[in-house]
Amino acid sequence: MSTTLEQAVNAALTTVIDPELRRPITELGMVDSIEIADDGRVRLAVLLTIAGCPLRDTITADSERALSAVPGVTAVEVELKVMNQAQRDALKEQLRGAGGQRGIPFNQPGSLTKVFAVASGKGGVGKSSVTVNLACALAAQGLRVGIVDADVYGFSVPALMGITQPPTRVDDMILPPVAYGVKVISIGMFVTANQPVAWRGPMLHRALEQFLTDVYFGDLDALFLDLPPGTGDIAISVAQLLPKAEILVVTTPQTAAADVAERAGAIATQTGQSVAGVIENMSYLEMPDGGRMELFGSGGGAVLAERLTATVGADVPLLGQIPLDILLREGGDAGSPIVLGQPETPAAVALTSIAGKLAAKPRGLTEMKLGLQPR
């Protein structure tokens, strides 16, 4: 075996990314052993976090593909093993930091994650579809993005993202499924079939807290929380657990919807949060002749933005208006977000534009440790 081939094989393995942790398997201590025969046959042993890892086939295929592309490698055999408890403990400490301390990482002084709580005054305004498409649009730009489906009673994010696999549990750590580059966690991943969730306030709070502490999202650029409609238990819990979260208010154009949506944003005056902006969904229907049919009236989003600006005492912009589009609905039913499947459509263009505005929002340096020393 030549040293050059060994180096090439090791370099190739750094390109194999764990599909759940989104980091190279070499960095995560998952490479147990590498054997390279004189005739170029490579035998690789990979350590899985748990025996029933749902993406074991993906890891095998990616490893085989990476190694087969190395000049001089004639055959590849991948053997899957399972980490022992000491190895899992070492991995958890590596991911969580020294001591493997649990907590909400997005509240740490050094966190640069933008947290957006997507709210609405009432159901049926397309809040979840907006959340999913904004997250996917940011991920398509190369950002690291996560979604917490906090709508415990009306969870829909897994279906909208086409996710059917359950999360992976590594002792007390939960690894969220990844779709379209977005890490997602939802109570829908823990219930059987379409079983309803009938919980009171304290149970809702505990579920949200567990999502934020036990689920390993890693270092995110943006985290979206899809809130249930209204200003109930979850909205209050988000304010308590993620006090720096910014509220995105989704409404439809009609005055009645804007009136109700104003309450979802005005809660910021009681919780001390800021409102990132208003998104008007189902704004109009584009006609074949180029005209627009405003099925639900017009102006509700702009009026809501003006009212919230006056209420919270800070500028609340209207971030965008999303037209009605059958493809948006069809993409949701198929688990294929429109910003990825049909990016040229007016709805996708509007959603991508809104995502760009959120990405451009500066991250405040309040309470941020800059590592500067006086001289």
Side-chain angles (χ1 to χ4, degrees):
M1 175 190 67
S2 69
T3 302
T4 302
L5 181 56
E6 181 181 7
Q7 292 173 341
V9 166
N10 287 326
L13 287 176
T14 64
T15 67
V16 180
I17 307 300
D18 180 272
E20 293 174 309
L21 295 171
R22 310 301 290 176
R23 290 165 67 173
I25 60 173
T26 51
E27 184 181 315
L28 297 170
M30 296 176 64
V31 176
D32 185 51
S33 63
I34 306 171
E35 298 176 8
I36 306 177
D38 292 336
D39 61 358
R41 288 181 292 111
V42 177
R43 180 181 176 85
L44 170 69
V46 176
L47 296 173
L48 302 176
T49 52
I50 60 171
C53 177
L55 296 176
R56 54 192 297 128
D57 292 340
T58 300
I59 295 173
T60 299
D62 290 349
S63 299
E64 290 176 343
R65 187 180 304 109
L67 293 178
S68 296
V70 175
V73 172
T74 58
V76 178
E77 179 182 348
V78 179
E79 178 186 6
L80 299 180
K81 299 182 178 180
V82 180
M83 289 183 176
N84 58 36
Q85 189 60 53
Q87 291 166 328
R88 279 195 294 271
D89 289 342
L91 175 62
K92 288 188 296 180
E93 182 168 345
Q94 176 186 355
L95 297 175
R96 285 177 171 164
Q101 294 297 316
R102 297 169 64 185
I104 300 178
F106 312 109
N107 289 338
Q108 298 301 314
S111 175
L112 291 175
T113 304
K114 298 176 183 178
V115 181
F116 298 108
V118 186
S120 67
K122 59 196 292 292
V125 299
K127 171 180 51 60
S128 297
S129 295
V130 168
T131 300
V132 163
N133 278 280
L134 290 179
C136 289
L138 288 178
Q141 296 176 22
L143 276 66
R144 296 161 297 185
V145 186
I147 298 177
V148 172
D149 187 358
D151 193 350
V152 176
Y153 297 138
F155 54 85
S156 57
V157 172
L160 293 171
M161 295 286 284
I163 297 174
T164 56
Q165 72 189 70
T168 299
R169 282 186 174 272
V170 182
D171 300 331
D172 61 350
M173 178 183 287
I174 301 172
L175 306 182
V178 180
Y180 308 110
V182 179
K183 297 182 178 181
V184 181
I185 195 69
S186 170
I187 197 65
M189 300 172 181
F190 299 91
V191 299
T192 304
N194 205 26
Q195 175 185 348
V197 178
W199 289 351
R200 293 184 182 274
M203 295 178 69
L204 297 173
H205 181 91
R206 176 59 188 135
L208 180 60
E209 185 176 33
Q210 186 172 11
F211 282 167
L212 296 172
T213 55
D214 292 355
V215 177
Y216 178 76
F217 284 101
D219 187 14
L220 298 181
D221 294 300
L223 175 69
F224 289 88
L225 290 95
D226 183 23
L227 305 187
T231 56
D233 293 302
I234 289 291
I236 296 170
S237 292
V238 167
Q240 293 173 338
L241 296 170
L242 293 167
K244 296 180 183 178
E246 299 181 67
I247 301 173
L248 282 173
V249 184
V250 179
T251 186
T252 45
Q254 66 267 46
T255 302
D259 288 343
V260 177
E262 183 178 359
R263 303 166 200 161
I267 193 175
T269 60
Q270 301 178 35
T271 60
Q273 296 169 286
S274 62
V275 181
V278 171
I279 299 171
E280 185 183 274
N281 195 26
M282 308 181 196
S283 297
Y284 54 86
L285 177 66
E286 287 204 352
M287 306 301 291
D289 61 0
R292 295 181 175 183
M293 179 182 293
E294 296 173 333
L295 285 83
F296 302 113
S298 64
V303 170
L304 176 58
E306 292 176 5
R307 290 180 183 174
L308 287 176
T309 294
T311 300
V312 304
D315 180 51
V316 176
L318 174 61
L319 295 172
Q321 296 172 294
I322 306 166
L324 279 163
D325 197 325
I326 290 177
L327 293 175
L328 178 58
R329 190 269 303 166
E330 290 178 345
D333 289 343
S336 176
I338 192 173
V339 294
L340 303 178
Q342 303 285 341
E344 73 288 347
T345 59
V349 170
L351 285 159
T352 301
S353 174
I354 295 169
K357 294 176 182 177
L358 296 180
K361 282 179 62 66
R363 289 185 274 202
L365 298 179
T366 305
E367 299 182 13
M368 190 71 64
K369 294 182 179 179
L370 300 180
L372 303 178
Q373 297 293 332
R375 299 184 63 179

